């Protein structure tokens, strides 16, 4: 962590070496985060570059080196969401949770088996966005609703649908494994 502290201080002084070192430390992880939202490596790379540009131009807003990674992650997530808003029409449907049924039963077990990269590459955009915000960014439904300009009920139903979609996907994969044997 010593290098992080030193490079953060250098980057705050607009030192290119410090900025490059921070980029090298965090670019792979931040690219994976952006890609988990947009599901397109080219777009994720654009988001990453834009995020680092914003990061280095506003680095004074980040007060401590210890919080840099979380601050940068927030920039990447916000840029990913803004990209989706501008470039994709995502349809959310309001569905009562009771219409979907209970998908929580085997959820914990199934989460352990997930190949998230494969899941996210196939998951519908609306499901993936809500799932990411709720599970990985730990946003509450009212926060997601505000961020995406949707109702809280839509956020809840989309999360439930995303869990059901993952469960169905896993069942399909399991069936494929059994068929191959």
């Amino acid at each position: 962590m010593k290098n992080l502290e030193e490079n953060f201080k250098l980057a705050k002084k607009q030192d290119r070496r410090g900025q490059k070192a921070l980029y090298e430390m965090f670019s792979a992880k931040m690219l994976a985060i952006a890609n988990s939202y947009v599901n397109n490596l080219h777009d994720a790379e654009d988001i990453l570059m834009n995020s680092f540009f914003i990061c280095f131009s506003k680095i004074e807003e980040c007060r401590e080196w210890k919080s840099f990674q979380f601050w940068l992650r927030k920039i990447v997530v916000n840029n990913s969401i803004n990209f989706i808003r501008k470039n994709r029409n995502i349809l959310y449907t309001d569905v009562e949770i009771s219409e979907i049924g209970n998908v929580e039963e085997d959820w914990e077990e199934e989460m352990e088996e997930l190949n998230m990269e494969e899941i996210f590459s196939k998951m519908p955009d609306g499901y993936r966005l809500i799932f990411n915000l709720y599970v990985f960014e730990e946003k509450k439904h009212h926060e997601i609703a505000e961020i995406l300009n949707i109702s809280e009920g839509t956020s809840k139903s989309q999360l439930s649908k995303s869990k059901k979609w993952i469960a169905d996907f896993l069942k399909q994969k399991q069936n494929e494994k059994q068929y191959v044997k």
Side-chain angles (χ1 to χ4, degrees):
M1 284 298 165
K2 188 86 168 149
N3 286 339
L4 174 58
E5 182 179 9
E6 290 171 10
N7 291 321
F8 176 75
K9 287 177 181 178
L10 288 171
K12 273 195 139 181
K13 295 176 184 174
Q14 298 302 314
D15 181 282
R16 298 284 183 219
R17 291 172 299 172
Q19 292 173 339
K20 182 180 180 198
L22 290 176
Y23 177 84
E24 289 172 355
M25 280 183 201
F26 296 107
S27 61
K29 185 173 185 176
M30 296 304 141
L31 180 63
I33 291 168
N35 196 40
S36 76
Y37 279 88
V38 298
N39 194 31
N40 179 300
L41 190 56
H42 179 71
D43 292 338
E45 288 169 344
D46 290 345
I47 291 166
L48 179 72
M49 290 297 121
N50 186 43
S51 296
F52 271 100
F53 175 78
I54 291 169
C55 166
F56 294 137
S57 64
K58 296 184 175 189
I59 198 164
E60 288 300 319
E61 293 177 15
C62 184
R63 295 186 184 149
E64 289 191 42
W65 66 271
K66 293 176 186 175
S67 62
F68 176 77
Q69 182 176 353
F70 304 105
W71 181 74
L72 176 60
R73 180 187 178 100
K74 186 175 180 181
I75 292 171
V76 170
V77 169
N78 287 338
N79 279 338
S80 299
I81 292 168
N82 288 336
F83 176 87
I84 291 168
R85 279 187 190 144
K86 289 178 189 173
N87 296 294
R88 298 191 181 149
N89 292 323
I90 299 176
L91 297 175
Y92 296 102
T93 56
D94 283 316
V95 176
E96 292 297 318
I97 298 297
S98 60
E99 293 176 35
I100 296 169
N102 188 1
V103 295
E104 299 290 330
E105 296 167 1
D106 299 322
W107 183 247
E108 295 299 322
E109 265 179 46
E110 291 168 356
M111 282 299 287
E112 294 173 9
E113 299 175 26
L114 294 180
N115 174 345
M116 294 309 285
E117 195 170 313
E118 181 182 10
I119 295 284
F120 285 133
S121 71
K122 295 180 177 157
M123 184 183 275
D125 291 342
Y127 296 177
R128 185 177 57 248
L129 185 56
I130 301 290
F131 186 86
N132 278 348
L133 288 170
Y134 188 84
V135 174
F136 298 119
E137 303 305 321
E138 299 178 351
K139 299 287 185 193
K140 305 281 187 235
H141 286 293
H142 67 89
E143 294 171 308
I144 295 170
E146 189 176 308
I147 290 168
L148 299 177
N149 197 26
I150 59 175
S151 73
E152 200 170 323
T154 298
S155 176
K156 290 176 182 177
S157 71
Q158 292 293 301
L159 178 64
S160 184
K161 285 179 176 182
S162 71
K163 289 178 179 180
K164 183 179 181 326
W165 188 92
I166 291 170
D168 291 345
F169 181 85
L170 290 173
K171 286 176 187 165
Q172 179 185 355
K173 286 291 186 188
Q174 188 65 32
N175 289 341
E176 288 172 7
K177 280 184 197 175
Q178 289 174 352
Y179 183 73
V180 171
K181 290 181 180 179

